[in-house]
Amino acid sequence: MPSVSSSSSFPSPFRLLSSRRPPPRPCSSAAIAGSNRRPNRIRASMSGGTSPVAEFPYLPPSHRELMLDLRSAVEARLGPHLLPSAVPPDVLSFHSPSGASRGALDIRSGGRDSPVDFILESWLHCELPTGALNITTLFAFLDASTDAPHLLMEFIQSSPSSLVLFTDLLPRKDLVLHPDYLDEFYQQTNLDKPRQELAKLPQVQPYCSSSLYIRSVLSPTAIAVCINCGEDGQSVMEDMMRGQLDTICKEIVRIWLHACASSSKQLGETERADLLRRDGLIKNKTIEIDLAANLPRMFSPEVANRVVGEIQKAFKI
Amino acid sequence: MPSVSSSSSFPSPFRLLSSRRPPPRPCSSAAIAGSNRRPNRIRASMSGGTSPVAEFPYLPPSHRELMLDLRSAVEARLGPHLLPSAVPPDVLSFHSPSGASRGALDIRSGGRDSPVDFILESWLHCELPTGALNITTLFAFLDASTDAPHLLMEFIQSSPSSLVLFTDLLPRKDLVLHPDYLDEFYQQTNLDKPRQELAKLPQVQPYCSSSLYIRSVLSPTAIAVCINCGEDGQSVMEDMMRGQLDTICKEIVRIWLHACASSSKQLGETERADLLRRDGLIKNKTIEIDLAANLPRMFSPEVANRVVGEIQKAFKI
C-alpha cells in the first residue's frame, strides 16, 4: 500500500492522498441539493450541462458555497467565450476500483475570440484514517495571444477546521528580467493586499511546498497558507470561509478576470517561443511532480492514465 | 526630517534608517579588542590590511563573533584570489554630517583566476528612538565565467533580542525555465534543510520584503525571517546566534564556497548575454530600491553619493 501523506507540492489540479479506509458514503442528490443555495443553471453552466464537477459533494457547506460563487464569477465573464466540454463521462466523474476515492474533472477550452487556453476544474474526495479530505481546484490557463498570468486556486481541506489554500496568478515570464511585467500584473493590481490581509489572521501560517520547482513557479504575491482553527474550530472555519476567505478569493479572481482573462498582446516571435516553452515546462513539471506521482496510487494506474490523458490533451503535451 | 522606518526591502548592502538621536557613542579600540576573540590577522585579512569593515563596532558579541567567523571562512577559501581593496578611506568608513549614523564598506574584486566578480562587506549602525540598529552584510557576486548563484547574507539587528535575517544563494537564471539549474545548486546541495531547521524554532517568523521585485530575486530556499526572543530575550538571542544561527549561516556559506565560488562554466554567447542582463537588472534594482531611496536621508546626499558611487564601480553600472 502506498503511504498516507498529507504533504502537498502544488500547484496541480490534484493533490492526491492514498486511503486505507472503506469507500466513503455515497453522496445523495438530495443531500447535495439541500446544501446548494444556487439554482441548477449556475451549477451546470460552466460545461453547458449538468457536470459532476459542479456538484461539489462531501464539501463542508461554506467551502461549497465559495466554490460555486467562484465558478459563477468565472462563468459570468468567460462562459460565452468557452467551448463545450469534451471530457468523456468516465473522467467527468471517476473513482478508484474500490470506490474509496472519488473525483470529478472538467475542462473547457477557450473559443477563437478568447485568450483562454482552457479552464480546468476538479474536486477530489477521500476518507482517510484522520477524516475526510476534500480538494477543490480552479485552474485557468491562457494561450500565447497574451502574456498575462494564469490563475490557480486550490483548497485542500483535511478537516472541517483546517485547510491549505494555494492561490496565485502564475507569472509567465522571469520577473527578475521583466520588472515592467511585475509592475503591470502584480504591483498595479495591488495583488499583495489580499495576501497581507490573510497573513494577519492568527489562524493562518505560511505553507511551504515540498517541491522547490513548484515554489519557483509561484509569484511573489502567491498565497500559500495553512489555516488551522483548532480542534473545535469548525464554526470558526465556516465563518472564515464565508468572511475573509470569501473576500480574498473573490478579489483575486476579480483581478485575474479584469487584468488577465481578456487581455491581448502582440508578442514577437522569440518572445512567443519563450513563453510557450515556459508554459510547457510548467505543465510538464506539474504532471511529473504531482499527477504521475500521486494519481495512480489513489485511483489505480488505469483510472489515473485516463484522467492524466485528458489533462495532457488540454495541456497539449 | 525623513520618517523613521524599520521596513526592509532587501537584498541590499544597506538597509538604512533615519535617526533623530544624537550621535552614537564612539566605539573605542579597547572595547572592540575586548569583545573580539579572533586575531588581528583574520580581522584584517579580507582587505589586506586593517579595514574598518572588519571591526564590527557596536554589535552584540555573538553577532560580531559570527560575522568574524563568516569572514574568516570566505577569506580562507577565496582570499588568495582576491585583489586588494581599492575603496577610498572616506567610504571604507563614513558617517552622517552630524555623526548620528555610521558605517563601513569594503569591496574586493576577484583576480583573473577567480570567478568572483566582487565581495562586498558592510556594517551600519545608528541609534534610533527605539534603540540601536546594527546591519551587517556579506554580498558575493560572481562573474560570467560561471552561472553559479551569488551569495547574500544580511543581519538587521534592531535590538539585542530581535533581528531580521536574509540569506540566499541568488539564482542567476529563471528557475522555471531551468529545472536542471535548480536541481544542481538548490536540490543537490540540500539548501532547503537549513531553512527548514530555522523555521521550526518558535522565535522564528517569516519576513516578507515590502518590495515585490526583491521577493522575485530570491530563490525558493531563501531564508527571510524575523527572529524575536521577547522583551527580555537577550540571552536567548545570544544563544541562538552562537547555536542554530551559527550552524545555519556557516552551512550556507560552506555550500556557496563549495558549489559556486570556484565553479566555472563555458556559456554560449546568448546565454552569457542573458546572464549579464539579468545580473545587471538585479544590481540596478538593488540600488534603485534600497540605496537611492534610503542612503541620502540617513547619511546626507553627499555621503550617499560617495558610497553609492563606489558600489556602482563594483557593480560596473
Side-chain angles (χ1 to χ4, degrees), chain A residues 220-235:
Chain A
T221 61
I223 290 174
V225 292
C226 178
I227 303 173
N228 197 325
C229 299
E231 259 184 44
D232 301 318
Q234 185 166 352
S235 67

Side-chain angles (χ1 to χ4, degrees), chain B residues 97-112:
Chain B
S98 69
S101 303
R102 296 184 171 267
L105 167 77
D106 203 359
I107 300 172
R108 287 181 75 191
S109 299
R112 287 197 178 179

Side-chain angles (χ1 to χ4, degrees), chain A residues 185-254:
Chain A
F185 293 111
Y186 298 90
Q187 195 81 50
Q188 297 297 327
T189 53
N190 216 0
L191 244 185
D192 204 39
K193 192 163 169 273
R195 191 199 61 75
Q196 288 172 14
E197 293 295 322
L198 198 56
K200 281 180 199 160
L201 303 176
Q203 298 88 352
V204 172
Q205 287 295 316
Y207 185 88
C208 206
S209 165
S210 60
S211 160
L212 298 187
Y213 190 82
I214 296 305
R215 289 190 222 162
S216 307
V217 165
L218 300 177
S219 84
T221 61
I223 290 174
V225 292
C226 178
I227 303 173
N228 197 325
C229 299
E231 259 184 44
D232 301 318
Q234 185 166 352
S235 67
V236 178
M237 176 60 84
E238 291 276 315
D239 288 347
M240 280 184 76
M241 281 291 254
R242 291 192 173 104
Q244 297 99 332
L245 293 179
D246 181 275
T247 305
I248 283 167
C249 293
K250 285 177 182 171
E251 174 62 3
I252 289 165
V253 168
R254 187 197 67 74

Side-chain angles (χ1 to χ4, degrees), chain B residues 13-46:
Chain B
F14 294 98
R15 187 78 46 253
L16 299 175
L17 312 193
S18 62
S19 171
R20 300 174 196 228
R21 289 278 292 276
R25 66 191 180 286
C27 183
S28 75
S29 301
I32 294 166
S35 63
N36 177 20
R37 303 175 306 171
R38 278 146 197 87
N40 275 342
R41 64 179 173 76
I42 294 177
R43 284 194 287 136
S45 56
M46 280 289 283

